Amino acid sequence: MTLRLGLGIFSIQAVPQRPDHHVKLYADLLDDAELAESLGFDSIWLSEHHFWFDGYCPADLAAAGAILGRTSTLRVGTAVMLLPMHSVEKVAADATTVNRLGDGRLVLGVALGYRDAEFDGFGVRRKDRGKLMDSMLPRLADASRASDPPYVVYVGVATAVAAQRAGRLGLPLFADSTMNVAELEEMLATYNEAAAAAGVKPPAAHSLQRDVFVTEDRERDWRLLFPELRYMRRQYGGWSNPQEAGESTQAYLERLEGDIAAKLKNLIIGDEAHVAAELRRFAALGFDLIVCRSQFGNLPRPLLRRAVEGLGRVNAAVAR
Amino acid sequence: MRLGLGPISLAGATRSQLVALAEAAVAASFDAVWIAEARSDGVGGGVAAAAFLAQQVPIRVGAALDFGAYHPLYAAEDIAVADIASRGRIEVLLRGGSAEQRRLLLEALGGAHLRFDGESLRVPARLEANQPSPERLALNPRPLQPAVPVWVEDADESEARSLGFGIARSRRPNATAPPSVGRWPGMLLCPGDVAAEDLLHAAGHAAAYFLIGARTAEHVATAGRRLVGPLRMPGFPEWINKQ
């Protein structure tokens, strides 16, 4: 199985430690897409969240349109679009156009979403998200196949229920970065059982998201990287576990700290040989596309550039 | 007077066709190129297409949206991201949709901390099931332009003046262009073969924005040669185009 690498995950945030104006951040994004294309990456990936103080990208198809306009061979993916908050008919109509203008280079990763404030902004009950996904996913899958050219829909998964949902439809997975090898194997088994029960032929391979950082000087770069990782993980952790009424800020930060350690356990960091070896393990499990998150919020540009160029060399090595 | 090409329907349009027309618009000195959704044919993505096109050409890019299909907050988010990525070159024409949708869109684009209680839209929804539910929400990131130019097709003039958007209409023989509203000139959607004197007559001496529906690169070049000079400067001497 040929292993392909995608570069991600671009959330285009004016993080508090580096609150660049978004006009610079989107210009940087387009430059990074050109760099990714020149380095031979399979794809670049965008994330979606809403109503956050640092301007986390809320419109990944609009950003994808800009990238597709700037590039010519690089695929552009959503990692992930929060489908239950959208109208599936609108998403399908939008994706068809964006994919056609991009000459078939759009990849649509979709998942549930989880932050109450976002659901509330769009008048959707968070607790309805599973039912909505059950209803929307088959329609989106049909629309993606009918599109000219067709586009791939990946289903973001971190739970058995989500794997079963994707399995029943035979849609490829986009596995969450927090899952370890054993959890991935278990999830793939669950997926295959659901596909078999539904009489659906599973796809040849799936995709996987990993936090990956290539460095020739781990000690130097870790000092720079860790505050960025901690911010990002606090943010995601905080969305899942909001501060409780009466809870002090200090106590809340300490509560989030445990989550940070857990979430960073799957980070792959090291030189090119180490990273290539780690990534090849996932190809053996059945993942032919690994979306490597090397951008965490808004890294210092020289730090990101070194990591992306290193990952570009890893990409060339694992493709052989 | 301003001159835009389009709106070019996205239905069936390929990358190469769209780019060729947009480049022809630049070469013919149009101020903007516009694309249009056709959601009745399942074709959306107007704002994303504008973001795409803005990477191809240096002029302004407009998107005609079938606004009834949109949640206004999503529309605002799409427009903001496209505007930023294009460095402030996005324009919008709304077709369909309700007055309530338009009001919420304009409030969001304006940067308000929203607490919107309309007849069919409530933002934040403040649903019991969503906890914590925010008291207010805002669009973030905001568009780069201080005010994204928004026109509404066949808009009621009092609503336009109240909310601050421009008015657009399809051209009819001998009819005048819509009135300007604030900074936004009236917009007139015209066929590709329209004559310069007809446009000048429609505008009177007021500023107006003409979208020209030329459908091939050759027609764009012809329309540009016929219209650009006379619209940009009164008393355009005919001999200039005869050389």
Side-chain angles (χ1 to χ4, degrees):
Chain A
M1 181 184 295
T2 302
L3 184 57
R4 300 167 293 156
L5 299 188
L7 178 64
I9 289 181
F10 290 83
S11 45
I12 315 130
Q13 295 170 260
V15 297
Q17 62 272 34
R18 205 164 299 96
D20 293 316
H21 192 283
H22 278 86
V23 75
K24 177 185 183 300
L25 296 177
Y26 279 86
D28 288 346
L29 169 71
L30 294 169
D31 289 346
D32 291 339
E34 282 189 325
L35 176 64
E37 184 167 82
S38 73
L39 294 172
F41 281 97
D42 168 82
S43 44
I44 189 167
W45 294 76
L46 298 156
S47 184
E48 169 192 330
H49 279 289
H50 304 267
F51 318 128
W52 191 237
F53 75 93
D54 65 11
Y56 197 116
C57 179
D60 42 12
L61 283 185
I67 295 174
L68 290 166
R70 178 68 77 88
T71 56
S72 54
T73 58
L74 187 72
R75 299 197 302 157
V76 182
T78 60
V80 284
M81 176 181 282
L82 309 176
L83 191 61
M85 296 179 211
H86 292 264
S87 147
V88 70
E89 286 76 20
K90 180 178 177 298
V91 167
D94 291 355
T96 294
T97 294
V98 173
N99 188 48
R100 194 173 61 247
L101 294 181
D103 291 333
R105 291 185 288 133
L106 180 69
V107 187
L108 214 54
V110 299
L112 290 173
Y114 56 93
R115 185 168 164 246
D116 285 75
E118 298 179 21
F119 283 96
D120 206 65
F122 297 110
V124 178
R125 273 188 288 269
R126 181 183 186 272
K127 68 178 184 182
D128 292 342
R129 61 189 182 147
K131 279 185 285 187
L132 286 166
M133 196 65 151
D134 285 336
S135 153
M136 290 176 163
L137 211 44
R139 287 143 68 198
L140 184 62
D142 287 345
S144 71
R145 294 184 196 109
S147 174
D148 181 21
Y151 53 90
V152 178
V153 175
Y154 283 103
V155 183
V157 289
T159 66
V161 172
Q164 287 165 342
R165 181 183 292 119
R168 288 194 294 271
L169 296 169
L171 290 171
L173 299 175
F174 187 75
D176 192 76
S177 64
T178 57
M179 305 175 84
N180 62 29
V181 168
E183 290 165 336
L184 289 169
E185 286 175 327
E186 192 175 331
M187 188 196 60
L188 287 170
T190 302
Y191 176 94
N192 288 329
E193 281 172 24
V200 170
K201 186 183 174 192
H206 301 278
S207 67
L208 168 72
Q209 187 188 150
R210 288 283 107 168
D211 292 352
V212 177
F213 203 82
V214 177
T215 173
E216 297 304 314
D217 189 338
R218 179 179 172 141
E219 195 175 330
R220 176 199 66 195
D221 285 349
W222 182 250
R223 280 197 302 272
L224 299 167
L225 189 61
F226 181 68
E228 315 291 334
L229 290 167
R230 183 162 60 189
Y231 168 73
M232 190 190 72
R233 285 300 165 199
R234 273 181 179 160
Q235 168 199 272
Y236 291 136
W239 288 350
S240 301
N241 302 289
Q243 189 171 7
E244 290 169 5
E247 185 178 27
S248 73
T249 298
Q250 186 58 36
Y252 183 51
L253 288 174
E254 285 169 13
R255 181 155 67 88
L256 292 178
E257 203 66 23
D259 189 52
I260 292 167
K263 293 284 167 46
L264 290 182
K265 69 182 189 303
N266 289 335
L267 172 69
I268 300 169
I269 180 169
D271 62 20
E272 292 162 26
H274 170 75
V275 170
E278 288 290 310
L279 295 179
R280 283 194 181 103
R281 293 168 60 208
F282 297 107
L285 294 179
F287 296 97
D288 71 343
L289 171 62
I290 303 179
V291 175
C292 300
R293 182 172 206 154
S294 293
Q295 170 63 298
F296 304 96
N298 180 23
L299 291 184
R301 297 296 294 164
L303 181 65
L304 177 65
R305 173 111 193 176
R306 279 202 306 270
V308 170
E309 288 175 343
L311 189 61
R313 291 187 288 274
V314 171
N315 178 54
V318 299
R320 284 196 288 271
Chain B
M1 307 292 177
R2 296 178 62 78
L3 205 56
L5 170 64
I8 305 163
S9 174
L10 289 168
T14 64
R15 176 190 181 105
S16 58
Q17 289 166 340
L18 202 54
V19 171
L21 282 171
E23 288 176 343
V26 177
S29 197
F30 280 75
D31 297 295
V33 56
W34 284 72
I35 48 81
E37 297 181 337
R39 288 193 182 268
S40 57
D41 296 327
V43 178
V47 180
F52 164 88
L53 212 46
Q55 298 303 315
Q56 300 283 335
V57 292
I59 58 177
R60 298 177 69 77
V61 181
L65 308 180
D66 294 330
F67 193 48
Y70 282 81
H71 189 295
L73 279 188
Y74 273 130
E77 290 177 331
D78 282 351
I79 291 166
V81 166
D83 193 55
I84 295 166
S86 70
R87 300 191 182 221
R89 289 184 286 131
I90 294 297
E91 303 182 341
V92 178
L93 170 62
L94 304 180
R95 291 168 156 165
S98 66
E100 193 169 282
Q101 282 178 293
R102 291 189 284 273
R103 186 155 63 89
L104 179 52
L105 173 70
L106 271 289
E107 285 188 21
L109 286 174
H113 286 198
L114 297 165
R115 188 177 171 90
F116 189 91
D117 288 294
E119 285 182 13
S120 59
L121 284 165
R122 183 173 142 113
V123 174
R126 286 153 271 156
L127 300 172
E128 190 64 34
N130 297 331
Q131 295 300 329
S133 164
E135 288 297 311
R136 290 180 183 275
L137 289 173
L139 174 66
N140 196 18
R142 293 94 45 230
L144 183 58
Q145 297 179 82
V148 175
V150 175
W151 284 265
V152 175
E153 194 163 78
D154 298 325
D156 173 75
E157 188 173 338
S158 62
E159 185 198 350
R161 293 197 184 284
S162 164
L163 295 183
F165 55 73
I167 303 170
R169 277 189 215 130
S170 291
R171 180 180 173 273
R172 287 185 290 274
N174 300 318
T176 57
S180 296
V181 175
R183 297 166 54 192
W184 314 129
M187 176 183 280
L188 209 53
L189 283 71
C190 308
D193 59 355
V194 68
E197 51 268 33
D198 291 338
L199 298 184
L200 290 167
H201 172 76
H205 294 290
Y209 192 168
F210 301 107
L211 298 195
I212 308 300
R215 293 183 180 173
T216 67
E218 188 182 353
H219 289 156
V220 174
T222 307
R225 193 168 175 83
R226 189 173 69 246
L227 301 174
V228 169
L231 292 179
R232 297 259 164 85
M233 185 61 68
F236 180 76
E238 209 172 286
W239 62 263
I240 287 183
N241 273 345
K242 298 291 184 194
Q243 296 179 89

